[in-house]
Amino acid sequence: MHTAFFLLLGASVARFLLRHPDEPRTPWIIALSITLALLYVLGPALGAAPTLRRLLWLGLVVAVWVVLVVLAPSFAWCAVPLFYTALRTLPPRAAVVLVAVLTLFVVAAQLRLAQTSGNQPFDPNLLLAPPAVAALATAVFVHMERQAAAQRTLIDDLIRTRRELAATERRAGTLAERQRLSMEIHDTLAQHLSSQQMLLQAADRTWDTDPGTARAHVRTATGIAARGLAEARRLVHDLAPPELAGGAGLPDALRALDAGPDIEVRFHLEGAPVPLPDRAEQALLRIAQGALANVREHSGASTAALTLSFLGDQVVLDIADDGHGFTQLRAAAGERGHGLPAMRARVRQLGGTLTIESTAGEGTVLSASIPLSNPLSSPPPIPLENTP
């Protein structure tokens, strides 16, 4: 449509200059044509929504075109692209009214051109062709809009279905993993604990009467405990993030993260890396993954920076983006979701802190700090109850 408009405008200017080279109105025609072209160029920058600026722009374009048609009827066919501009900008009824008005001007201009061409028989196409073209343009636009609306609805349905399918698959995977872990724990740790209990009870019964047998029971229970400890370590290793598997360190795992094809992720390492407890590495990796997911879904950023700093007595992970940021009200709303509370819980379990700094329009910085002096390698003890 844009190309057609400028072609028709250029052809109309060329036709007028060829047929009326010495007309006094020629400078006005050229000036109005340039003005109309400049105004039309400004249209896409104002967007397609029917805002006040967009409506004022459309009124100026139509007014300049009307003046041009009054001075030179050959500019009448520039109205065809304007039909689509009106249909995209105005509500349906107002757009149809404007298209009808533009069509009347086109008919009037064609009749004026026929009168200036000399004594020729009346051509009914002068009355029928412009309304037919206007009706065809309107019908094509309405059909395209309906198709676009149907496609948008279909795309929304597909996206919603895909999300539901992904959620179902995650739930199924979670249930399958829970079942696998329950069977692993029952077949290994639970059996080992049961055997140890029986052996220790037997050793307690024979400790005074048969010390040798009691010590044999204790040695057997010690061996079973060692095997149970190995099984527990294997289970913990299986639950570790795959990014940290195979001896990969936290810096390498963070360097390999991404936030989607439209966001550039940069990684910076500051300070001399030191070995971190498994729980600290896993927590920082999960926090980075969650923060990059938030950047991808909510920030509108084009760049994100991960900075891992080893500061002697603590390790700090900073995630910064250049997105639109958020206000304190939106930050409080975000805390009601699952991402940020989960990050705070991970850091709190390790004795660290999580801070968020953001300003609307200036991006967001999330910082997770974990002290290295705490005994992070071992989880807090879990109280046990005596069960029959």
Side-chain angles (χ1 to χ4, degrees):
M1 283 299 107
H2 298 330
T3 303
F5 175 81
F6 287 108
L7 287 176
L8 290 171
L9 183 62
S12 300
V13 173
R15 182 180 186 277
F16 180 84
L17 293 179
L18 289 174
R19 297 201 174 190
H20 310 281
D22 299 325
E23 283 279 342
R25 51 184 173 166
T26 299
W28 289 101
I29 296 296
I30 295 176
L32 288 171
S33 299
I34 295 175
T35 302
L36 182 59
L38 293 176
L39 284 173
Y40 194 87
V41 168
L42 291 176
L46 298 177
T51 60
L52 181 59
R53 290 192 303 173
R54 177 79 176 179
L55 296 177
L56 291 176
W57 168 83
L58 180 60
L60 286 175
V61 170
V62 172
V64 173
W65 174 81
V66 168
V67 174
L68 269 175
V69 172
V70 172
L71 295 177
S74 58
F75 285 85
W77 287 108
C78 293
V80 176
L82 295 183
F83 291 163
Y84 287 97
T85 303
L87 290 167
R88 285 198 306 268
T89 304
L90 298 175
R93 293 184 179 179
V96 170
V97 172
L98 182 57
V99 168
V101 173
L102 296 179
T103 304
L104 291 177
F105 271 93
V106 173
V107 172
Q110 294 300 305
L111 293 176
R112 282 183 56 192
L113 284 176
Q115 291 175 359
T116 58
S117 299
N119 295 326
Q120 294 182 358
F122 174 74
D123 188 356
N125 285 333
L126 300 178
L127 290 176
L128 300 178
V133 172
L136 178 62
T138 303
V140 169
F141 178 84
V142 171
H143 179 68
M144 291 172 59
E145 282 294 298
R146 290 176 178 174
Q147 280 191 327
Q151 289 178 350
R152 286 193 295 268
T153 302
L154 178 60
I155 291 173
D156 292 341
D157 291 341
L158 289 175
I159 292 176
R160 184 172 59 255
T161 302
R162 186 175 64 180
R163 289 176 178 172
E164 293 175 353
L165 179 61
T168 302
E169 291 177 349
R170 283 195 297 270
R171 288 193 295 270
T174 301
L175 293 175
E177 183 65 12
R178 287 180 178 176
Q179 184 178 9
R180 184 187 72 83
L181 287 175
S182 66
M183 290 188 297
E184 288 275 353
I185 292 173
H186 176 270
D187 295 339
T188 56
L189 298 180
Q191 296 295 336
H192 291 159
L193 290 174
S194 176
S195 299
Q196 292 173 51
Q197 183 184 31
M198 294 175 60
L199 288 169
L200 292 175
Q201 289 174 347
D204 182 63
R205 288 193 300 267
T206 61
W207 192 264
D208 296 328
T209 60
D210 191 356
T213 302
R215 290 189 181 93
H217 289 330
V218 171
R219 287 193 295 270
T220 304
T222 302
I224 294 175
R227 291 195 296 273
L229 179 60
E231 289 291 342
R233 288 174 175 171
R234 183 184 64 81
L235 288 175
V236 171
H237 181 269
D238 290 343
L239 292 176
E243 294 85 357
L244 297 174
L250 179 61
D252 294 333
L254 293 176
R255 190 177 287 110
L257 295 180
D258 67 86
D262 299 327
I263 301 177
E264 179 184 3
V265 179
R266 301 170 183 170
F267 175 74
H268 306 279
L269 179 63
E270 296 184 359
V274 297
L276 296 176
D278 293 341
R279 292 184 64 215
E281 286 191 341
Q282 294 173 17
L284 291 175
L285 178 61
R286 294 308 189 200
I287 289 172
Q289 291 172 330
L292 290 179
N294 288 339
V295 171
R296 179 177 62 252
E297 296 176 7
H298 306 297
S299 72
S302 60
T303 303
L306 299 178
T307 304
L308 182 64
S309 305
F310 291 89
L311 305 178
D313 61 342
Q314 63 179 346
V315 57
V316 180
L317 175 64
D318 297 316
I319 302 98
D321 66 73
D322 59 354
H324 47 62
F326 51 81
T327 61
Q328 293 300 321
L329 181 62
R330 290 181 55 197
E335 291 284 354
R336 292 193 292 269
H338 298 287
L340 293 179
M343 296 180 195
R344 292 193 186 278
R346 290 181 186 276
V347 174
R348 193 183 306 114
Q349 289 174 357
L350 300 174
T353 58
L354 182 75
T355 58
I356 302 174
E357 297 178 3
S358 182
T359 303
E362 298 183 6
T364 303
V365 178
L366 184 146
S367 179
S369 174
I370 296 178
L372 296 180
S373 57
N374 286 356
L376 304 177
S377 58
S378 60
I382 301 176
L384 300 178
E385 296 181 356
N386 293 325
T387 56

